Amino acid sequence: MRYVVIVAYRVFPDKREDFFNLVRNEADALVQNELGTLHVTNMMDQVDPNKFLNLKIFESKAAYAEHLQGAILKAFLQAADAFIMEGPTVIFEGVHMYSCDDYTLEQKSGEDMTAYFKR
């Protein structure tokens, strides 16, 4: 059964764009290289733009356990350390019950979210 994990981060205001680029690169690397990582979505809070949520869906709890030991996550956490005020904090772990799509909002909309940081 698929396994879901949601992690929260708060980043330094001047590091938001760098952190966004880092989580985006990590997401791409995970779904391309970790067979047990099925889906990754990264979100930025509208009220507190320094708060990010990271949603990952894994093939199973065992795949999540493998992810925790993986080189991609270790490299991400090492690089992210310079950007993070709080976190990573796991705010949810559980079984995936239902999803109405299997791809990220950015892919569906065709929007490139890096434009947000160029305003």
Side-chain angles (χ1 to χ4, degrees):
M1 185 166 275
R2 291 180 178 184
Y3 196 72
V4 176
V5 178
I6 302 174
V7 179
Y9 301 89
R10 286 194 78 244
V11 300
F12 295 106
D14 63 332
K15 300 297 184 186
R16 282 194 303 254
E17 183 175 4
D18 293 331
F19 186 74
F20 172 76
N21 290 331
L22 186 64
V23 295
R24 185 179 190 167
N25 290 337
E26 184 221 16
D28 290 342
L30 289 173
V31 297
Q32 291 174 19
N33 297 296
E34 286 187 1
L35 296 179
T37 303
L38 303 176
H39 178 90
V40 180
T41 296
N42 296 298
M43 299 163 275
M44 183 173 57
D45 190 274
Q46 185 171 352
V47 175
D48 179 1
N50 301 318
K51 181 178 179 182
F52 287 77
L53 293 179
N54 178 269
L55 164 77
K56 294 177 182 170
I57 301 175
F58 300 93
E59 187 175 89
S60 63
K61 191 171 183 178
Y64 173 57
E66 286 181 33
H67 164 73
L68 290 175
Q69 301 304 314
I72 296 170
L73 178 63
K74 287 180 183 181
F76 166 77
L77 291 173
Q78 185 175 6
D81 191 53
F83 308 143
I84 297 173
M85 288 190 295
E86 290 177 30
T89 305
V90 176
I91 61 171
F92 178 85
E93 276 191 57
V95 177
H96 182 251
M97 300 298 293
Y98 173 80
S99 181
C100 63
D101 67 33
D102 286 331
Y103 51 92
T104 67
L105 183 60
E106 184 175 338
Q107 290 169 320
K108 185 175 181 178
S109 69
E111 292 180 32
D112 180 355
M113 296 303 291
T114 56
Y116 172 85
F117 297 102
K118 298 186 182 351
R119 296 191 297 177

